Amino acid sequence: MPALSAGSGNETGLYEMLTALPAQLQPHVDSQEDLTFLWDMFGEKSLHSLVKGATIKKDEHTGAIVVARIMRGGAADRSGLIHVGDELREVNGIPVEDKRPEEIIQILAQSQGAITFKIIPSIKEDVPSKEGKMYIKALFDYDPFEDKAIPCKEAGLSFKKGDILQIMSQDDATWWQAKHEGDANPRAGLIPSKHFQERRFALRRPEVLVQPLKVSNRKSSGFRRSFRLSRKDKKTNKSMYECKKSDQYDTADVPTYEEVSPYRRQNNEKYRLVVLVGPVGVGLNELKRKLLISDTQHYGVTVPHTTRARRSQESDGVEYIFISKHLFETDVQNNKFIEYGEYKNNYYGTSIDSVRSVLAKNKVCLLDVQPHTVKHLRTLEFKPFVIFIKPPSIERLRETRRNAKIISSRDDQGTAKPFTEDDFQEMIKSAQIMESQYGHLFDKIIVNDDLTVAYNELKATFDKLETDTYWVPVSWLHS
Ligand SMILES: Nc1ncnc2c1ncn2[C@@H]1O[C@H](COP(=O)(O)OP(=O)(O)OP(=O)(O)O)[C@@H](O)[C@H]1O
């Protein structure tokens, strides 16, 4: 650890901080905002690892060189000797008050052996915080080296969508400090705060986020056997299943971070709802069917509602729940449907109660919906686990789907037809849009290339879901 010794005697509160080994410098750190450089120190206990410790800046008003930021868990933080706002007076006996930060870099770069810092502590007391107890799930990819706003790129923490981060400090409203969950390295890195990132996304949104899920002008998209139904009505080219029309565009959603907590299902709890999402024809029904027949006692699916007349071979509550148009419309008004739509002058829909009834039988409910409805299902009651079934490359689609058939609304009878090249292209395009627009809601992505491989992966995912611990939104854990 850096040693602390008395200052020059007559200056009360003046520190000298000694580091045991030469400092490692970051001479090419960009000088952005008001921050100028980052110094690194070796602690006695980590002689072989470079530990980034703190950043400094020139105070705009006083011109003093002050400590701008202490990286949580780094050597400076663990030494407990320096704090944000402390003034740096000397480096190796050389006064730095009138120096520019770049010149201080030079002094440090030329230093050999132990480095002595002379620091005047700031008067401000550290406010105790609940640091290190908050976890967030990142909903976007972040690379500090691509970020023009970050005050110090080297101090940044890169992460990928879906990573779990432990928040170490929220003292700064713009730049939080965080580390990857489970990372043995105690030092935190800078990440944009939620508020700051939301503002940036909001400014960028026109190109990046608002991309309606409209694939082409072709009126394809089959009538789904599962009553996910078609994406668009054949004649009107309108989505048949809609909760709220505006949801399709999700302009209000700016995915940045979500606070999460670990959750493991207890034996006496209901199963988590499993939501399957994917483009038309990707094989959702096929995978769902295989799961269902693998254990009919364990897996279940919802029974859809319809206003069409019951056929002689059908039973109410088996193929469909048959209800009147009036009742259906009342239920729509009362938000009873997760999705609903109109096909050939009849309504079809999946009700929230139909999901509840599967779960009440102590079964795993397999539900496939359009991705924009997922956010309505993300509740404490359902704790949904969302699986995106993704198509493989177009070459693999051509190879694997040679004998497969798609039910297309281009055919009024809803009969199955072999896949066309257009079907493949639309499937891939639609999957890309789904992933870019809703990828932050997916807990798992399974590529349906070889059916058996995809099924085995799906089955393994289900098995783990029942026993393993997962990060879920904190709001799901407290009623
Ligand atoms: N991995 C695969 N390899 C080969 N054929 C597949 C594969 N997955 C699914 N299929 C076949 O592709 C066709 C479409 O699959 P499926 O009906 O399950 O798609 P879907 O996504 O549920 O679409 P829809 O909701 O329109 O029915 C079926 O003939 C199915 O057997």
Side-chain angles (χ1 to χ4, degrees):
M1 298 288 279
L4 180 70
S5 71
S8 54
N10 53 1
E11 283 172 287
T12 47
L14 201 63
Y15 289 169
E16 280 183 352
M17 197 177 70
L18 304 167
T19 50
L21 283 168
Q24 294 289 312
L25 301 177
Q26 305 280 326
H28 40 259
V29 171
D30 285 342
S31 185
Q32 291 160 29
E33 289 189 356
D34 52 357
L35 195 65
T36 49
F37 83 91
L38 174 84
W39 84 69
D40 298 328
M41 291 179 290
F42 285 108
E44 275 175 13
K45 288 186 182 140
S46 55
L47 294 181
H48 302 291
S49 65
L50 184 67
V51 188
K52 289 180 174 130
T55 60
I56 62 166
K57 66 178 179 185
K58 201 168 185 82
D59 187 292
E60 276 175 19
H61 304 293
T62 64
I65 300 290
V66 292
V67 176
R69 210 183 295 271
I70 303 289
M71 303 312 296
R72 291 288 191 273
D77 184 34
R78 283 179 290 139
S79 78
L81 298 177
I82 51 171
H83 304 91
V84 171
D86 287 355
E87 188 183 334
L88 184 61
R89 279 283 176 87
E90 287 181 12
V91 174
N92 281 352
I94 304 168
V96 295
E97 284 150 83
D98 55 344
K99 298 234 175 323
R100 286 180 294 117
E102 296 80 353
E103 294 172 301
I104 303 171
I105 292 176
Q106 282 305 314
I107 298 171
L108 286 163
Q110 285 154 13
S111 301
Q112 298 282 316
I115 298 177
T116 307
F117 294 106
K118 193 173 272 186
I119 290 169
I120 300 180
S122 75
I123 305 149
K124 210 176 83 198
E125 288 292 311
D126 271 0
V127 184
S129 64
K130 52 166 195 154
E131 281 168 8
K133 301 208 176 68
M134 181 181 168
Y135 292 87
I136 55 169
K137 182 173 177 183
L139 305 181
F140 64 105
D141 295 339
Y142 179 68
D143 177 359
F145 288 90
E146 301 281 306
D147 189 346
K148 292 196 176 78
I150 191 165
C152 183
K153 292 181 195 302
E154 283 76 1
L157 182 79
S158 62
F159 55 80
K160 290 254 170 264
K161 193 190 285 181
D163 285 356
I164 304 295
L165 308 175
Q166 186 178 5
I167 297 296
M168 306 304 290
S169 168
Q170 290 179 305
D171 292 350
D172 184 328
T174 312
W175 296 100
W176 289 351
Q177 293 189 24
K179 58 191 204 113
H180 284 274
E181 188 270 322
D183 187 349
N185 183 346
R187 191 182 65 80
L190 293 183
I191 62 168
S193 70
K194 185 174 170 69
H195 179 65
F196 180 56
Q197 191 61 30
E198 277 172 357
R199 272 179 28 216
R200 292 206 285 196
F201 274 156
L203 291 172
R204 264 190 251 159
R205 193 143 30 105
E207 325 85 76
V208 179
L209 290 176
V210 184
Q211 200 175 20
L213 197 57
K214 179 166 180 266
V215 177
S216 72
N217 290 327
R218 285 179 52 243
K219 301 175 179 79
S220 64
S221 304
F223 179 80
R224 300 205 86 135
R225 281 160 280 183
S226 62
F227 298 100
R228 181 153 56 123
L229 300 186
S230 65
R231 299 289 196 259
K232 286 170 234 131
D233 179 85
K234 185 175 179 292
K235 297 193 178 69
T236 62
N237 198 24
K238 280 199 321 210
S239 172
M240 287 181 62
Y241 257 24
E242 292 167 8
C243 246
K244 296 181 188 90
K245 277 201 173 84
S246 59
D247 289 352
Q248 289 225 315
Y249 302 92
D250 267 345
T251 48
D253 280 355
V254 183
T256 54
Y257 307 110
E258 180 169 57
E259 189 177 350
V260 289
S261 268
Y263 164 77
R264 182 154 165 254
R265 183 187 156 268
Q266 303 299 305
N267 281 338
N268 56 352
E269 267 183 282
K270 287 196 186 110
Y271 288 106
R272 292 178 66 177
L273 170 64
V274 177
V275 178
L276 299 166
V277 175
V280 169
V282 72
L284 285 185
N285 275 300
E286 188 68 44
L287 289 165
K288 219 165 68 168
R289 191 185 60 81
K290 279 170 88 68
L291 262 175
L292 274 174
I293 57 172
S294 77
D295 190 345
T296 49
Q297 295 305 307
H298 191 55
Y299 299 109
V301 288
T302 53
V303 179
H305 285 64
T306 185
T307 59
R308 83 152 162 75
R310 187 171 64 82
R311 292 175 188 148
S312 56
Q313 74 283 10
E314 292 174 334
S315 313
D316 191 20
V318 178
E319 290 86 1
Y320 293 99
I321 297 163
F322 295 94
I323 59 169
S324 68
K325 268 200 168 166
H326 175 71
L327 196 53
F328 197 104
E329 282 163 0
T330 311
D331 284 355
V332 167
Q333 292 295 316
N334 293 327
N335 289 319
K336 298 228 168 155
F337 288 106
I338 296 165
E339 289 185 326
Y340 69 93
E342 204 177 338
Y343 183 71
K344 293 189 183 174
N345 293 325
N346 282 303
Y347 292 128
Y348 295 83
T350 304
S351 73
I352 300 172
D353 280 345
S354 69
V355 173
R356 290 189 179 120
S357 102
V358 177
L359 295 173
K361 288 181 196 143
N362 204 26
K363 287 186 174 187
V364 177
C365 180
L366 312 174
L367 182 72
D368 61 299
V369 291
Q370 291 197 61
H372 70 272
T373 63
V374 168
K375 69 175 182 183
H376 299 293
L377 295 165
R378 298 185 86 240
T379 60
L380 175 146
E381 179 186 9
F382 294 134
K383 297 187 180 65
F385 186 84
V386 182
I387 304 175
F388 178 56
I389 306 294
K390 188 174 169 168
S393 66
I394 196 141
E395 295 77 21
R396 289 294 299 157
L397 276 176
R398 287 182 199 125
E399 280 172 47
T400 55
R401 269 65 169 181
R402 258 188 221 131
N403 303 316
K405 290 191 170 151
I406 185 170
I407 295 183
S408 169
S409 63
R410 276 169 288 183
D411 172 4
D412 267 348
Q413 304 309 308
T415 48
K417 294 266 172 70
F419 279 94
T420 64
E421 189 64 18
D422 279 354
D423 291 327
F424 292 150
Q425 277 175 12
E426 184 161 323
M427 199 196 295
I428 286 179
K429 187 82 197 294
S430 171
Q432 282 166 351
I433 295 173
M434 281 184 182
E435 215 176 337
S436 76
Q437 213 171 341
Y438 300 101
H440 60 282
L441 299 174
F442 303 160
D443 294 294
K444 173 93 187 161
I445 297 177
I446 294 178
V447 178
N448 185 14
D449 183 338
D450 177 84
L451 186 60
T452 309
V453 173
Y455 171 72
N456 289 340
E457 196 181 344
L458 190 64
K459 184 78 179 64
T461 305
F462 275 80
D463 294 345
K464 275 173 64 155
L465 193 58
E466 289 166 25
T467 52
D468 287 11
T469 300
Y470 289 85
W471 293 94
V472 300
V474 280
S475 56
W476 293 5
L477 302 181
H478 316 288
S479 37

